[in-house]
Amino acid sequence: MGSIPNIISDQKAYFNSQKTKHLDSRLTYLKALKNEIVLKEQAIYDALKLDFKKSEFESFISEFGIVILQFNLAIKNLKQWAKPEAVKSSILTFPSKDYIYKDPYGSVLIIAPWNYPFLLAIEPLIMAVAAGNTVVLKPSELTENTSQLITEIVEKVFPKEYVASIQGGVETSTELLAQKWDYIFFTGSVSVGKIVAQAAAKHLTPVTLELGGKSPCIIDDSVDLTLTARRIVWGKFLNGGQTCIAPDYLIINSNIKTEFIEALKTEITKAYGENPSNSPDYPRIINTKNTLRLAKMLKNEHVIFGGEVDEETCYISPTLIDEPSLESAVMSEEIFGPILPLLSYTSEDDIERIITHFEKPLALYVFSNRKSFVEAILNKFSFGGGVVNDVLIHFGNHKLPFGGVGHSGMGAYHGKHGFDTFSHRKAIIKRGNWIDPPIRYAPYNEKLGILKKMFKYFS
Ligand code: NAD
């Protein structure tokens, strides 16, 4: 592979050759990429297992399976998505036919994180290619096996002047960010998101930032405790808690807290057994650095369940912490691991005080059977997206845009939203020549009065 500036200039030349714009060619490449990925299905599971002991079931449901759904969607709908969209014309531009053209940005940089290393690299890649761009993909350096496999797949399918996967860590990312891109799509932490935004600002490059944050989960006293606990345990401990939209902490109505804690303990044991380190379904923390970061959060806290740490194997058991202070280590940053702090509330003011203590979260969950309570929560707080009476599943409907707001990010994708993210919506008017209303032309004379009447009539 050549140097980064060379790859980019080759990609710009390739884009300028108009080759990426042919829909049939985009479809051919998408199908080829899908085929290669299908052929490598087992290798993908093996790589994820080697990287952080992710089970095949979780690798299918949260990486491979979703990627295939996105391929199918893009392949089936590409021609429709890419078609110029006719919009109603305006009396001010009469006679005309008005359209939105879907224009690829050009050279796109995609930087992916490690926590869903396959999904979060390939899903944006599918949509960037579908939209007609060239792509440099930078997978995460922390998931060596998956990133190596992604690179092999990309190299097998695409010429590097079309799509290139460049592996490396901060240094590589920094070099990539120093180049001039037409679009940057970044998934990762808030702190690196700010670095990406600064680099993009230098060239006025548009960005999507898919970031993280502390996503709250509110549970009132009208809920079915067992069902609620089962759903939360699933969403919190999936992927070892290393999910950007995992419930970061719970805010529980104090009337049911004691009983609910018992329900949580029961459901954790049902899912992972008495000793989760023996469960084939329980992943490990990505590396020692993160294991130590999480272990530190447990110091001086009231651990009421779990709390076992094995630095050597990067294992932390599913852990419940009771009533940490909002200033504690565990509440000061996104947890991103299998530790669940439990806070309680007695009034809606308590909920507001806790949630507004933090930046706008990526997700918010509310469990309640009271409609007015739910609506009040949904309308009061600003957050990326959320679910009522479950967790995570808003990720699963491609019709819903997925993204953050404020510190949890900007922009959104999934399904057609992803295609739109990688397309500039170019406004086009095709003017008719059969009549040329004279009102706009000087000399204006008495035309202002007529114009004002027109504006009033048509507004
Ligand atoms: P990260 O920000 O450390 O790394 C993400 C990518 O940025 C990697 O490819 C890495 O090589 C690169 N990078 C790291 N430091 C850099 C620097 N100084 N300059 C330039 N590039 C740099 O994030 P991570 O640890 O891989 O992932 C975890 C974070 O990602 C969590 O905060 C999580 O919430 C967030 N996340 C968000 C989503 C989402 O869809 N919103 C999805 C997954 C993860």
Side-chain angles (χ1 to χ4, degrees), residues 204-224:
L204 288 181
T205 300
V207 283
T208 292
L209 299 177
E210 294 282 342
L211 310 178
K214 287 189 87 62
S215 299
C217 177
I218 303 155
I219 299 136
D220 89 350
D221 57 358
S222 66
V223 300
D224 175 328

Side-chain angles (χ1 to χ4, degrees), residues 268-374:
I268 293 172
T269 310
K270 262 199 213 165
Y272 303 112
E274 291 292 340
N275 183 357
S277 73
N278 292 332
S279 164
D281 301 326
Y282 191 66
R284 295 301 182 259
I285 306 306
I286 188 66
N287 57 16
T288 312
K289 188 175 157 207
N290 270 290
T291 310
L292 293 174
R293 179 184 66 81
L294 290 163
K296 241 186 184 172
M297 290 180 176
L298 303 180
K299 292 227 167 88
N300 307 320
E301 293 300 343
H302 186 202
V303 174
I304 54 171
F305 189 80
E308 290 91 28
V309 178
D310 180 9
E311 283 169 36
E312 289 230 327
T313 56
C314 293
Y315 169 76
I316 297 188
S317 63
T319 298
L320 303 178
I321 292 184
D322 196 26
E323 301 290 346
S325 112
L326 293 188
E327 317 305 328
S328 62
V330 75
M331 293 306 289
S332 301
E333 60 177 275
E334 179 184 4
I335 297 172
F336 220 56
I339 299 172
L340 186 57
L342 314 175
L343 308 178
S344 53
Y345 75 90
T346 52
S347 70
E348 288 179 27
D349 287 349
D350 291 340
I351 298 177
E352 185 169 346
R353 178 180 50 79
I354 296 168
I355 292 179
T356 55
H357 183 80
F358 303 103
E359 296 288 353
K360 295 175 181 180
L362 183 57
L364 180 145
Y365 306 110
V366 53
F367 286 80
S368 170
N369 288 318
R370 294 191 184 99
K371 266 191 182 163
S372 58
F373 177 75
V374 167

Side-chain angles (χ1 to χ4, degrees), residues 35 68 122 176 216 243 245 256 276 294 297 414:
N35 285 346
I68 297 302
I122 302 295
L176 286 167
T243 302
I245 46 171
I256 54 152
L294 290 163
M297 290 180 176
H414 281 190

Side-chain angles (χ1 to χ4, degrees), residues 144-169:
E144 289 172 28
N145 299 287
T146 311
S147 299
Q148 175 59 28
L149 188 58
I150 288 172
T151 304
E152 285 166 19
I153 291 171
V154 164
E155 285 176 357
K156 180 98 192 275
V157 174
F158 295 96
K160 67 178 184 332
E161 59 272 24
Y162 189 177
V163 177
S165 172
I166 300 183
Q167 296 190 71

Side-chain angles (χ1 to χ4, degrees), residues 111-115 120 138-141 168-170 173-174 177 186-189 192 195 210-213 244 334 336 362 402:
I111 300 181
W114 57 263
N115 64 327
L120 299 177
K138 214 290 288 165
S140 173
E141 69 279 21
V170 178
S173 250
T174 308
L177 286 170
F186 171 80
T187 308
S189 58
V192 180
I195 295 172
E210 294 282 342
L211 310 178
C244 55
E334 179 184 4
F336 220 56
L362 183 57
F402 181 82

